[in-house]
């Protein structure tokens, strides 16, 4: 493999030996890629602070001796300064990176996935929209790109449209399909996640919006929390694992609620 | 390695489990131990056993100690009103070597790292809050590393401590002495410019 340079987002870094690290980067054209960063822990000068979690960087990657490619150069494109010093934002960014790590195939081009994560991290850092709404938006777009976007427009069982369905509705987590209140009882043993019609409509609006448009949508706290709970159950179910960052996010949300403050964690 | 007798082979295998020791280095160390006098080998073996038997975490600061409370926590010459919070023992030792700090320490035993599943309950945060609540501390210096996890942990702690009657400070960061500006990352340079000081 000849050397190539690429924009990249740091998804994960694992210490290797005393001085090196193995990094997982998300790039637009090479997708998720693992690289070996020699002396990354010892030599501050070589990568000069570029190898931090969720850092947006410009990387030069070359052929390694083994199976892993080698990181030859890395320069920070965007340090996301506000994000790194706010533990709530950092927890959200960790969660998104974990989703991308779990749901992205190694080596397959990911221009849309890269654009989504880049846009979400930048918006979180610059506070382009409320972190909670941004979290919902990111997860919806991630689900769409990963091929398991929930089908919320019609009842899976009787076919009734969302607007015409009775107030009580739910989503079948396994199939991602809406189930109306009339079909609950005979639906079988699939796990159902109850979700109001308002929350489903909010999900459909947000799914159709980009960050600029979504920033103007105001969600009431009940709808926002219901959408978040649903997506944080639905997406890990389809990825087959619960991201570790989700436990930390849950912890800081519950601490905020205990303190009686406004919970603005995504 | 087959050419060695079984006892030396066993020693080489054990030495190889130490960090940074490969097979060749393990062989060299083993051959050195074969050559040294018996009393020196016994002293080394005794030191290893002694460390395993005696060393524990200090019940106050969670640093390494041979006793229930370490020397730093019991020293009357250290300023009990200054508490420096660090990630691990190695950072405490680095600060001690600098000779710049004469207060006491609190060692968190790690930093918050959501992706690694390390949350507040995995660190010695509850014990830190208890120490502050006991009183007698006027300043808590957050000296976690300046990487993302260290910064997040410092921010988390500062929020936990904001309503307590202590001053909470963060160690400064900037250009290292003898450093070359060309190789310093942009965030560090930005902070160095923001926290510049007047000369003379």
């Amino acid at each position: 493999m000849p050397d190539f340079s690429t924009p990249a987002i740091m998804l994960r870094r694992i210490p290797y030996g005393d001085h090196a690290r193995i990094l997982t980067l998300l790039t637009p054209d090479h997708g998720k890629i693992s690289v070996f960063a020699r002396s990354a822990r010892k030599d501050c000068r070589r990568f000069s602070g570029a190898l931090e979690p969720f850092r947006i960087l410009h990387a030069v990657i070359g052929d390694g001796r083994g199976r892993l490619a080698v990181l030859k150069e890395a320069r920070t494109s965007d340090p996301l300064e506000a994000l790194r010093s706010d533990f709530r934002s950092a927890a959200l960014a960790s969660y998104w990176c974990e989703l991308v790590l779990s749901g992205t195939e190694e080596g397959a081009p990911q221009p849309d996935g890269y654009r989504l994560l880049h846009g979400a991290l930048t918006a979180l850092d610059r506070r382009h929209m409320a972190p909670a709404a941004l979290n919902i938006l990111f997860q919806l777009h991630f689900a769409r790109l990963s091929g398991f976007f929930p089908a919320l427009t019609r009842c899976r069982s009787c076919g009734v449209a969302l607007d015409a369905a009775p107030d009580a509705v739910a989503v079948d987590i396994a199939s991602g399909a809406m189930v109306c209140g009339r079909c609950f009882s005979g639906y079988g043993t699939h796990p159902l996640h109850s979700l109001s019609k308002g929350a489903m409509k909010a999900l459909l609006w947000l799914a159709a919006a980009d960050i600029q448009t979504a920033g103007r949508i105001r969600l009431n706290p009940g709808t926002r929390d219901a959408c978040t709970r649903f997506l944080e159950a639905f997406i890990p179910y389809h990825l087959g694992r619960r991201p570790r960052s989700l436990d930390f996010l849950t912890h800081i949300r519950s601490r905020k609620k205990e303190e009686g403050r406004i919970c603005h964690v995504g | 390695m087959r050419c060695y007798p079984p006892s030396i082979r066993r020693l080489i295998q054990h030495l190889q489990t130490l960090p940074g020791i490969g097979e060749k280095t393990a062989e060299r160390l083993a051959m050195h131990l074969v050559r040294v006098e018996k009393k020196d080998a016994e002293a080394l073996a005794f030191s290893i056993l002694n460390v395993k038997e005696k060393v524990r975490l200090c019940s106050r600061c969670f640093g390494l100690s041979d006793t229930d409370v370490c020397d730093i926590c019991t020293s009357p010459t250290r300023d009990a009103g200054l508490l420096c919070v660090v990630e691990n023992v190695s950072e405490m030792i680095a600060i001690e070597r600098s000779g710049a700090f004469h207060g006491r320490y609190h060692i968190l035993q790690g930093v918050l790292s959501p992706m690694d599943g390390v949350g507040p309950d995995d660190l010695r945060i509850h014990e830190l809050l208890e120490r502050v609540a006991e009183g007698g501390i006027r300043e808590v210096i957050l000296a976690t590393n300046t990487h993302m996890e260290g910064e997040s942990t410092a921010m988390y702690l500062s929020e936990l401590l904001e309503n307590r009657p202590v001053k909470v400070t963060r160690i400064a960061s900037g250009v290292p002495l003898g450093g070359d500006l060309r190789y310093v990352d942009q965030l560090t340079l930005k902070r160095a410019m923001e926290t510049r000081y007047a000369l003379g």
Side-chain angles (χ1 to χ4, degrees), chain A residues 45 48 52 81 85 88, chain B residues 148 155 159 183 185 190:
Chain A
R45 225 170 54 163
S48 63
E52 292 259 283
E81 189 181 359
S85 55
R88 291 187 184 84
Chain B
M148 198 280 299
M155 291 303 124
E159 201 172 278
Y183 299 113
D185 69 287
K190 189 179 170 204

Side-chain angles (χ1 to χ4, degrees), chain A residues 107-257:
Chain A
Q110 295 289 342
D112 295 334
Y114 180 84
R115 207 174 304 124
L116 172 65
L117 186 59
H118 184 286
L121 290 173
T122 312
L124 185 63
D125 183 67
R126 318 282 200 269
R127 283 283 190 268
H128 287 163
M129 66 185 286
L134 191 56
N135 186 29
I136 296 169
L137 189 74
F138 176 85
Q139 292 182 86
L140 282 170
H141 284 265
F142 173 77
R144 188 192 296 282
L145 288 175
S146 304
F148 50 79
F149 189 81
L152 303 175
T153 49
R154 288 192 174 277
C155 172
R156 188 187 191 214
S157 204
C158 67
V160 67
L162 175 61
D163 280 332
D167 272 346
V169 281
V171 182
D172 171 359
I173 291 281
S175 68
M178 188 263 271
V179 180
C180 74
R182 278 192 293 268
C183 301
F184 277 177
S185 52
Y187 193 71
T189 54
H190 288 265
L192 288 176
H193 188 106
S194 93
L195 198 62
S196 70
K197 278 170 69 173
M200 283 199 197
K201 284 181 180 170
L203 287 174
L204 291 169
W205 288 331
L206 282 167
D210 55 20
I211 288 173
Q212 283 74 31
T213 322
R216 294 195 290 270
I217 297 173
R218 293 278 169 266
L219 295 176
N220 73 54
T223 304
R224 183 195 63 201
D225 292 349
C227 292
T228 304
R229 274 197 304 275
F230 163 65
L231 288 168
E232 289 175 358
F234 177 73
I235 292 180
Y237 178 91
H238 286 272
L239 289 177
R241 65 180 287 266
R242 182 178 162 84
R244 287 166 158 184
S245 320
L246 207 43
D247 293 329
F248 185 67
L249 266 179
T250 310
H251 174 90
I252 53 180
R253 281 176 191 146
S254 62
R255 198 173 70 82
K256 274 282 178 195
K257 280 181 182 160

Side-chain angles (χ1 to χ4, degrees), chain B residues 109-127:
Chain B
Q109 304 291 341
V111 271
L112 296 174
S113 179
M115 285 179 89
D116 298 318
V118 182
D121 296 339
D122 302 306
L123 307 177
R124 300 290 185 175
I125 291 176
H126 179 68
E127 291 85 350

